[in-house]
Amino acid sequence: MGVTSDPDHCTRRRLLRATGVVGAAGAAAAFGLGGSGSGVAQNESADSNASNETGGPAESEVGSEYAAVYRDTIDSVVLVTVTGTSGPGTGGGGLGTGFVIDDEYVLTNNHVVEAAREGGIELQFSNEEWRAASIVGTDAYSDLAVLRVEDMPEVASGLSLAESEPIIGQEVLAIGNPLGLDASVSQGIVSGTGRSLPSPTGFSIPAAIQTDAPINPGNSGGPLVSLEGEVLGVVFAGAGQTIGFAISAALANRVVPALIEDGSYDHAYLGVGVQPVGPEIAAEIGLEEATGVLVMEVVPDGPADGTLQPASTTRPGSGDVIVAIDGQAIPNQPALSSYLALETSPGDTIELEIVRDGEHQTVEVTLEERPEAEQPRTPIGGPREEPPTTDP
């Protein structure tokens, strides 16, 4: 049920601030943003916060594009507070960000809410109203979660996930609650696209957006928006002062409807481990240029078993190199992961162009549903996955 801010909530917020609650699962070192950070409530209006945070004039006096985007979106961005299974202050709870996508649902990161106990998620909106939220669906592989709010505040309206691809160099704003500082905005550009990010599941998160907009603990789950107010991505993590990452709207547009409808999302699975093809490998295999991915491992009884041949340590130059899928060039592992994530579904039969023993040929593989995630292998913020990887 929805409730407005009251003394009990204020007491709880003071407790969170005093104890410095750390983030829910997933917040760690270099990518350690997650839903974490010691908190302060969204206890000022959006307008007063925008004018006071930088010490400059109010946004109505500035009239900048940034102020306009902030004004148009902030009422849809929420502070996510989580009481975990271990209780506040013991590592079982935390803070993060989310944003409204329609009159019932809020989108955030899975790692922000995955440790929440039943009834342990509360949202605070820019007008200081509080609402309880329940989990509708989660997907650890894309690190997305959809929450339901029974009585959405009137000030909040759904933000739109962009249908078009972001352009490298375009300006963006990250809106959220970094370090628990409510209703904050930071500005930057799209620094890169199609990034492959390490994940606790052992499978990377594909098609991610890189930005130089400052990202800090507590930003996770918030929107990365264009100057047109469209959500280009869901903020995921930061790796330094000028490097942050967001889950692309392209991936979210595939995953979110399934989370709302079924509570889960089925990812396509090829069942191979691959590594990049560098000049040395290209020369050994007989490729004219260093492109594609070398199959280093084929998962037994997986979709590619019996169709693709892995490299052998005793046979230099052996192993299939995947250079295209359904006519789409695959120059590297991120491109392979992105294609499978954005263009295919379990049960699809794909045509792979491969190079085997120096000869080009095509083979067909019918994709299956990705197996359930094992225990975490690479924590968020941990080292890059080293080849071979079984991502696809």
Side-chain angles (χ1 to χ4, degrees):
M1 295 179 60
V3 293
T4 57
S5 183
D6 58 29
D8 289 336
H9 281 296
C10 291
T11 300
R12 181 172 182 273
R13 300 300 299 128
R14 292 193 189 99
L15 174 63
L16 288 171
R17 187 183 308 117
T19 57
V21 176
V22 297
F31 283 171
L33 296 194
S36 67
S38 57
V40 293
Q42 295 193 186
N43 55 4
E44 298 180 65
S45 69
D47 287 343
S48 67
N49 183 272
S51 61
N52 293 338
E53 185 173 344
T54 60
E59 61 185 38
S60 59
E61 299 172 5
V62 176
S64 73
E65 286 184 285
Y66 307 147
V69 174
Y70 179 88
R71 182 178 60 246
D72 291 343
T73 57
I74 189 58
D75 288 339
S76 299
V77 180
V78 302
L79 173 71
V80 181
T81 70
V82 176
T83 302
T85 54
S86 301
T90 60
L95 303 176
T97 303
F99 60 96
V100 177
I101 53 176
D102 66 13
D103 58 4
E104 188 176 4
Y105 299 113
V106 168
L107 183 59
T108 187
N109 283 147
N110 175 66
H111 76 257
V112 171
V113 298
E114 65 180 346
R117 63 169 174 79
E118 185 175 356
I121 302 174
E122 296 183 14
L123 311 179
Q124 190 182 37
F125 291 78
S126 63
N127 64 353
E128 301 184 45
E129 292 188 47
W130 287 87
R131 294 292 188 271
S134 58
I135 296 176
V136 175
T138 62
D139 179 49
Y141 293 120
S142 62
D143 196 28
L144 294 174
V146 175
L147 310 178
R148 177 183 283 114
V149 178
E150 295 295 339
D151 180 24
M152 192 74 71
E154 291 184 3
V155 298
S157 58
L159 300 182
S160 299
L161 292 168
E163 295 290 343
S164 58
E165 292 294 318
I167 300 172
I168 295 176
Q170 78 176 98
E171 288 188 288
V172 290
L173 302 179
I175 304 175
N177 306 289
L179 305 176
L181 299 171
D182 63 293
S184 296
V185 59
S186 58
Q187 177 269 343
I189 62 171
V190 173
S191 305
T193 58
R195 302 306 194 206
S196 185
L197 305 180
S199 160
T201 65
F203 290 84
S204 63
I205 298 176
I209 299 169
Q210 178 186 334
T211 180
D212 68 349
I215 303 294
N216 288 285
N219 269 122
S220 280
L224 184 72
V225 300
S226 68
L227 296 190
E228 291 70 43
E230 286 191 314
V231 178
L232 298 178
V234 182
V235 173
F236 166 72
Q241 290 300 311
T242 59
I243 299 180
F245 297 97
I247 299 153
S248 68
L251 183 57
N253 274 322
R254 287 179 65 91
V255 173
V256 170
L259 296 185
I260 293 173
E261 183 70 23
D262 304 318
S264 61
Y265 178 79
D266 295 333
H267 292 261
Y269 179 62
L270 180 58
V272 297
V274 300
Q275 75 173 50
V277 173
E280 184 176 352
I281 293 176
E284 288 180 354
I285 292 177
L287 290 172
E288 294 182 359
E289 56 181 327
T291 188
V293 291
L294 175 64
V295 177
M296 295 295 295
E297 176 188 0
V298 175
V299 177
D301 299 321
D305 191 14
T307 301
L308 294 179
Q309 297 180 4
S312 170
T313 55
T314 61
R315 292 179 54 223
S318 66
D320 293 338
V321 175
I322 301 173
V323 295
I325 302 179
D326 295 332
Q328 176 71 43
I330 301 296
N332 49 42
Q333 186 271 334
L336 173 61
S337 295
S338 293
Y339 187 88
L340 293 175
L342 302 180
E343 304 294 338
T344 69
S345 300
D348 289 351
T349 298
I350 58 174
E351 184 178 79
L352 301 174
E353 182 182 346
I354 64 173
V355 178
R356 178 180 294 170
D357 298 326
E359 299 293 331
H360 284 258
Q361 57 181 281
T362 58
V363 296
E364 290 188 345
V365 175
T366 299
L367 302 173
E368 298 176 5
E369 181 182 338
R370 184 180 288 177
E372 195 168 326
E374 301 174 358
Q375 291 298 317
R377 299 186 300 180
T378 305
I380 296 175
R384 282 190 172 275
E385 297 175 26
E386 296 297 329
T389 171
T390 56
D391 271 352

